[in-house]
């Protein structure tokens, strides 16, 4: 493991956070908000810390191994929010709550302590949206550079439009992924902004929702949520949500004109799940009424992509939680277990059933190259989800609220908490220790479950 590489990576992360603060800082100064000084202070502190880490990390080069990459990833999800929380502490009154909000934004969870307080500060609103946007880009980058390798997925998937080098290389692919995805990600965000603004949303609201939607953050600045905007806004948001949950490698290839001979089974399964869930929600709402169809399919796309927007009649909670746990494409900004892993598990189960029913038959080689990794991920995923549920239940919350909070945090679909009986959608209902549990759940939701297990494996760090 190379400490210099880790410091260099963390320095770059902090400089990105500091640069992003300039937008809300300028808005706060323009509007005369009291938080303007907090953004200036946060930007200066973060910039100096980043430059210091860069200076320490540029002394000499080290090996580019998996442990170095894993530490840098952890610093993004754990360390960066500590600096991003500095300006938020002014509005929230204490650093603990500010760190919670920063983690919620950066992991694109959208689990806010107060839904009503956010729109009251345009600068804070923009800052949360920027953090979600950066978190979405980081999710794409990390997934494509590291986590969609057969080692973690179990099968070969679409190759990303950049070089990942050899199997031992991890840091260079992260940089290559940012370079490859940033223009496409920015272009989609810009198109989303134009479309939402033309649909009738105010300029700031359109910018916030554009950044949040492509990151599946589920953020709506209006106090009434999506319902507070003209109906055409929901119509515009629907395809954007579907796009945000799709395989970004495929999207990047299509926009680059490099989609020839692309075979992607995950995208087809993703669209089918959205359709099936939409039909299911429509049936529960009342299939005899055609006016319920559009909200049902909107909510389906929202839940599958883990955005968390809900319009019209709320869908039933249990199908919502199951769908959110399934998630969308592996290289997307969505949370959840990811569709490709369910496909791998299903394919492997089908192969095993065939061998059991016809033990003397001769079959071809299995297409699942790393069966242990997939099952380990499933085991750790369910274990973490169960631990989160138990923590919230022991904390005195009803089982419905506990289950919803666990899934919402771990699947990075925070707005879904509002669907539980007795919950308003505000996470202030959870006390201090449970807020810490939520923070851990949101961060683990952005890590590979098997990788999260490696964090506590002493043999991994000693090898």
């Amino acid at each position: 493991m190379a400490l210099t590489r880790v410091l260099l990576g963390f320095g770059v992360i902090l400089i990105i956070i500091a640069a992003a603060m300039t937008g809300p800082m300028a808005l706060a100064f323009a509007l005369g908000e009291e938080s303007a000084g907090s953004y200036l202070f946060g930007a200066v502190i973060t910039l100096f810390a980043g430059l210091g880490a860069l200076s320490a990390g540029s002394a000499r080069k080290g090996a580019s191994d998996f442990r170095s990459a894993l530490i840098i990833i952890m610093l993004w999800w754990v360390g960066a929010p500590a600096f991003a929380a500095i300006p938020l502490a002014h509005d929230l009154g204490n650093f603990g709550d500010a760190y919670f909000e920063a983690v919620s934004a950066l992991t694109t969870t959208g689990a806010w302590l107060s839904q009503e307080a956010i729109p009251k500060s345009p600068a804070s609103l923009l800052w949360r949206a920027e953090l979600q946007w950066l978190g979405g880009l980081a999710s794409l980058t990390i997934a494509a550079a590291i986590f969609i390798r057969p080692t973690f997925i179990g099968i070969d998937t679409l190759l990303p439009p950049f070089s990942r080098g050899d199997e031992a290389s991890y840091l260079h692919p992260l940089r290559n992924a940012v370079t490859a995805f940033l223009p496409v990600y920015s272009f989609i965000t810009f198109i989303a902004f134009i479309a939402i603004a033309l649909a009738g949303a105010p300029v700031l609201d359109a910018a916030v929702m554009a950044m949040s939607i492509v990151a599946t953050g589920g953020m709506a600045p209006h106090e009434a949520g999506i319902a507070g905007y003209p109906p055409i806004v929901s119509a515009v948001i629907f395809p954007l949500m579907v796009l945000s949950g799709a395989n970004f490698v495929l999207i990047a290839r299509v926009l680059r004109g490099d989609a020839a001979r692309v075979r992607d089974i995950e995208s087809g399964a993703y669209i089918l799940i959205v359709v099936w869930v939409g039909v299911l929600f429509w049936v529960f709402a009342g299939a005899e009424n055609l006016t319920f169809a559009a909200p049902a399919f909107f909510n389906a796309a929202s839940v599958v992509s883990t955005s968390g927007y809900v319009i019209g009649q709320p869908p039933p909670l249990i199908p919502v939680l199951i769908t959110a746990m399934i998630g969308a494409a592996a290289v997307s900004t969505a949370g959840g277990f990811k569709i490709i892993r369910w496909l791998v598990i299903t394919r492997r189960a089908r192969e095993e059933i065939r061998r059991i029913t016809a033990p003397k038959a001769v079959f071809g080689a299995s297409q699942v190259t790393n069966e242990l990794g997939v099952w380990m991920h499933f085991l750790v995923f369910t274990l973490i989800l169960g631990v989160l549920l138990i923590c919230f239940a022991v904390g005195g919350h009803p089982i419905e609220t506990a289950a919803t909070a666990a899934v919402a945090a771990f699947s990075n679909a925070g707005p879904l908490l509002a669907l539980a009986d007795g919950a308003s959608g505000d996470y202030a209902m959870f006390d201090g220790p449970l807020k810490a549990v939520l923070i851990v759940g949101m961060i683990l939701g952005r890590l590979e479950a098997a990788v999260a297990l490696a964090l506590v494996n002493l043999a991994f760090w000693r090898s």
Side-chain angles (χ1 to χ4, degrees):
M1 182 179 66
L3 180 59
T4 54
R5 286 295 187 96
V6 171
L7 289 172
L8 186 65
F10 190 48
V12 172
I13 288 172
L14 294 184
I15 290 176
I16 291 172
I17 296 296
M21 283 187 195
T22 58
M25 179 179 66
L27 183 60
F29 275 114
L31 297 178
E33 290 190 21
E34 294 181 358
S35 62
S38 299
Y39 283 99
L40 177 59
F41 176 75
V44 171
I45 291 296
T46 306
L47 178 62
F48 274 101
L51 292 175
L54 274 181
S55 177
S58 60
R60 60 186 180 86
K61 295 183 178 181
S64 174
D65 61 357
F66 178 61
R67 284 174 293 186
S68 299
L70 179 56
I71 292 177
I72 292 175
I73 292 171
M74 286 299 300
L75 287 173
W76 173 260
W77 298 125
V78 179
F83 291 87
I86 294 174
L88 295 176
H90 177 274
D91 295 329
L92 297 172
N94 68 81
F95 189 79
D97 287 349
Y99 184 76
F100 177 94
E101 296 268 321
V103 170
S104 175
L106 206 58
T107 58
T108 76
T109 304
W112 313 120
L113 296 175
S114 174
Q115 299 281 356
E116 295 180 355
I118 295 176
K120 295 180 180 179
S121 171
S124 176
L125 185 66
L126 180 61
W127 181 227
R128 286 173 169 85
E130 285 186 0
L131 289 176
Q132 286 192 336
W133 191 83
L134 290 172
L137 178 61
S139 299
L140 295 174
T141 298
I142 294 168
I146 297 178
F147 290 155
I148 64 165
R149 303 184 189 213
T151 304
F152 301 103
I153 295 294
I155 60 174
D156 290 321
T157 59
L158 282 175
L159 291 177
F162 58 86
S163 172
R164 289 191 301 200
D166 56 51
E167 287 299 317
S169 176
Y170 290 96
L171 296 182
H172 287 299
L174 287 172
R175 181 189 61 191
N176 295 342
V178 173
T179 303
F181 285 153
L182 180 58
V184 179
Y185 189 67
S186 301
F187 174 74
I188 294 175
T189 306
F190 177 73
I191 295 300
F193 165 69
I194 296 298
I196 297 172
L198 291 176
V203 174
L204 178 60
D205 291 29
V208 167
M209 284 193 288
M211 288 186 283
S212 183
I213 288 168
V214 296
T216 66
M219 199 172 180
H222 199 282
E223 292 182 358
I226 293 295
Y229 300 98
I232 192 173
V233 172
S234 299
V236 169
I237 288 176
F238 173 75
L240 294 173
M241 287 193 304
V242 174
L243 191 66
S244 67
N247 191 324
F248 204 83
V249 171
L250 179 62
I251 295 172
R253 284 192 169 187
V254 169
L255 292 180
R256 290 166 177 262
D258 185 27
R261 299 180 181 178
V262 170
R263 182 175 177 270
D264 179 27
I265 60 172
E266 187 181 30
S267 295
Y270 168 61
I271 297 300
L272 283 177
I273 291 175
V274 172
V275 172
W276 290 340
V277 174
V279 171
L280 179 65
F281 287 174
W282 184 20
V283 169
F284 277 107
E288 70 281 355
N289 193 333
L290 290 176
T291 60
F292 293 154
F297 283 95
F298 178 95
N299 293 337
S302 176
V303 175
V304 176
S305 66
T306 68
S307 296
Y309 294 117
V310 174
I311 63 174
Q313 181 175 334
L317 183 60
I318 293 179
V320 165
L321 298 184
I322 294 174
T323 303
M325 285 189 289
I326 292 174
V331 186
S332 71
T333 56
F337 188 72
K338 301 301 190 319
I339 292 173
I340 189 65
R341 289 194 179 88
W342 292 111
L343 293 176
V344 171
I345 288 176
T346 301
R347 177 176 294 180
R348 185 56 181 167
R350 184 181 61 192
E351 293 175 358
E352 290 300 322
I353 291 174
R354 290 175 62 194
R355 295 180 187 278
I356 292 173
T357 55
K360 295 184 179 181
V362 178
F363 302 103
S366 173
Q367 293 179 302
V368 180
T369 59
N370 185 25
E371 177 185 355
L372 180 60
V374 178
W375 285 111
M376 180 63 70
H377 187 98
F378 176 77
L379 176 63
V380 178
F381 182 90
T382 54
L383 179 63
I384 293 174
L385 193 62
V387 170
L388 292 175
L389 191 155
I390 292 172
C391 287
F392 297 128
V394 172
H397 295 278
I399 188 65
E400 182 175 304
T401 303
T404 306
V407 173
F410 196 39
S411 295
N412 304 113
L416 296 183
L417 180 65
L419 297 179
D421 287 340
S424 64
D426 292 344
Y427 282 78
M429 63 185 295
F430 298 100
D431 58 17
L434 291 183
K435 285 179 185 176
V437 173
L438 285 166
I439 289 173
V440 173
M442 290 187 287
I443 293 173
L444 290 179
R446 281 304 177 191
L447 288 173
E448 293 294 298
V451 173
L453 187 64
L455 293 175
V456 295
N457 186 356
L458 295 180
F460 169 78
W461 297 105
R462 292 171 179 168
S463 61

